[in-house]
Amino acid sequence: TKLEDLWLNDNLIKNFTDLDELSKVPNVTCIYLTKNPVSLYPSYKQVCLKHCPKLNQLDGNYVHGFN
């Protein structure tokens, strides 16, 4: 089996460098990072998509076709 959903809500993920670890789970299609300081940055979605190209849902919102 492969990891497809990753829920990391309410942690202390503060920096984009903390999100570099997402590259180790490239098959993830759904990530929840709400209530983490990093989710407040304007380019947060782009960084998540860069690390997880198969991502289609981020924090409960569909990101299909997001650029």
Side-chain angles (χ1 to χ4, degrees):
T1 61
K2 61 183 179 180
L3 181 67
E4 293 181 0
D5 289 5
L6 183 61
W7 293 60
L8 297 170
N9 299 13
D10 297 306
N11 285 282
L12 295 175
I13 301 170
K14 297 178 183 179
N15 303 305
F16 288 134
T17 54
D18 296 331
L19 297 181
D20 289 346
E21 295 296 313
L22 293 176
S23 294
K24 295 179 180 178
V25 287
N27 291 315
V28 166
T29 59
C30 175
I31 299 175
Y32 280 84
L33 288 164
T34 54
K35 297 185 182 176
N36 282 288
V38 73
S39 68
L40 301 175
Y41 289 106
S43 56
Y44 158 70
K45 289 180 184 178
Q46 291 94 334
V47 171
C48 290
L49 285 166
K50 179 182 100 175
H51 291 302
C52 299
K54 295 182 180 179
L55 190 66
N56 62 32
Q57 190 175 14
L58 179 62
D59 299 332
N61 299 304
Y62 287 99
V63 293
H64 178 72
F66 183 84
N67 291 320

